[in-house]
Amino acid sequence: MCANCGFPAAPGHWTEAGTDTSYDRLQARYRRASLLREVLRDHGLTAHDDATTPGITVSTKTGRHEFAGDLAAVWALAEKLSGRPVDPLAPKFVCDDDDALSARQDRD
């Protein structure tokens, strides 16, 4: 249980597999949030993970924000906030590494 916010401690997310240290886990969370921001940008949304609570905040450009407890909840919440389907597996976003994602964004 977090002494500051009262949230129960969350188990690690599967995307953090292979992280050995707390530093590595934090870096994995920040990287995941960065990738989420890239995917959600086209929907007028952003994602934020401050690593102090077990989850991700999804926000609109108008300042409305809601909390998603896990990655699956992010997609449902993004669809709710944007009012349209969100496909994280769209060809635009599926790639092998960050360089490929950057290259695709530059083309768009």
Side-chain angles (χ1 to χ4, degrees), residues 37-78:
R37 281 191 292 278
E38 297 298 327
V39 173
L40 296 177
R41 180 181 297 147
D42 288 346
H43 297 276
L45 302 171
T46 188
H48 179 72
D49 183 351
D50 63 6
T52 60
T53 57
I56 300 161
T57 303
V58 179
S59 304
T60 66
K61 289 180 180 180
T62 61
R64 181 175 175 199
H65 58 273
E66 292 194 32
F67 181 77
D70 57 33
L71 194 56
V74 167
W75 308 125
L77 190 54

Side-chain angles (χ1 to χ4, degrees), residues 11-19 28-29 31-32 70-72 75 89:
H13 191 269
W14 65 266
T15 59
E16 297 168 0
T19 57
R29 285 182 71 168
R31 182 173 185 278
R32 182 175 66 218
D70 57 33
L71 194 56
W75 308 125
L89 297 178

Side-chain angles (χ1 to χ4, degrees), residues 69-87:
D70 57 33
L71 194 56
V74 167
W75 308 125
L77 190 54
E79 289 184 356
K80 175 184 165 189
L81 291 173
S82 70
R84 58 188 173 135
V86 175
D87 183 6

Side-chain angles (χ1 to χ4, degrees), residues 4 11 14 16-18 20-21 23 30-31 35 44-45 56 58 62 65 71 76 92 97 101 103 107-108:
N4 295 321
W14 65 266
E16 297 168 0
D20 295 325
T21 66
Y23 175 80
Y30 291 143
R31 182 173 185 278
L35 292 170
L45 302 171
I56 300 161
V58 179
T62 61
H65 58 273
L71 194 56
K92 176 179 180 178
D97 59 29
L101 181 59
R107 285 189 308 226
D108 294 339

